[in-house]
């Protein structure tokens, strides 16, 4: 059974940092593309960053230079390092896994990130 569990969210002041983790189980991690999405109140869910099994990365323009996505295949965990956080980064952050074979997608339950002074 595929399971994604996010952690690491919380309240941080503007300019601060957080590292989100997404622990994956029930599938072969290296056969999936992993992504982080976020959804702010009243807004649609948007792609923040993604990484392929080959290590290629994508970042939304709004987070380029501030966020870094990475994976630890040994731990089946994907991370999102978030630096220089802004109030507009406030959202629920979700981890998504997409099978490179079936294209089926799995989502985590989300973790709240609040950037406020």
């Amino acid at each position: 059974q595929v399971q994604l569990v996010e952690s690491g969210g919380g309240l941080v002041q503007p300019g601060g940092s957080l590292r989100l983790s997404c622990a994956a189980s029930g599938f072969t991690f290296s056969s999936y593309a992993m992504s982080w999405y976020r959804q702010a109140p009243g807004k649609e869910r948007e792609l923040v960053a993604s990484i392929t099994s080959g290590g290629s990365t994508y970042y939304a323009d709004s987070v380029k230079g501030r966020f870094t996505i990475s994976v630890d295949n040994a731990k089946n965990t994907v991370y999102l390092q978030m630096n220089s956080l802004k109030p507009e980064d406030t959202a629920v952050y979700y981890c998504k896994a997409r099978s490179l074979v079936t294209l089926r997608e799995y989502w985590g339950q989300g973790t709240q990130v609040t950037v406020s002074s």
Side-chain angles (χ1 to χ4, degrees):
Q1 182 179 355
V2 174
Q3 191 172 17
L4 301 171
V5 179
E6 299 103 331
S7 61
L11 173 64
V12 63
Q13 292 186 343
S17 298
L18 282 175
R19 188 177 79 157
L20 305 183
S21 300
C22 173
S25 60
F27 62 95
T28 303
F29 200 66
S30 59
S31 299
Y32 282 68
M34 303 300 297
S35 303
W36 286 96
Y37 283 72
R38 67 186 181 188
Q39 188 167 20
K43 294 188 176 181
E44 293 187 355
R45 192 172 296 189
E46 63 174 352
L47 175 63
V48 175
S50 64
I51 187 166
T52 67
S53 58
S56 298
T57 57
Y58 164 84
Y59 296 95
D61 287 342
S62 58
V63 306
K64 275 182 185 176
R66 301 189 298 122
F67 290 11
T68 302
I69 188 171
S70 62
V71 297
D72 184 332
N73 286 316
K75 295 183 177 180
N76 264 25
T77 300
V78 59
Y79 303 98
L80 186 67
Q81 177 67 45
M82 305 186 295
N83 299 327
S84 302
L85 283 161
K86 304 175 181 180
E88 51 264 44
D89 294 318
T90 295
V92 177
Y93 284 71
Y94 297 90
C95 174
K96 187 187 83 171
R98 180 171 63 88
S99 169
L100 299 177
V101 177
T102 67
L103 302 184
R104 184 171 177 178
E105 298 180 347
Y106 302 90
W107 291 87
Q109 83 287 352
T111 185
Q112 176 71 47
V113 171
T114 302
V115 184
S116 175
S117 55

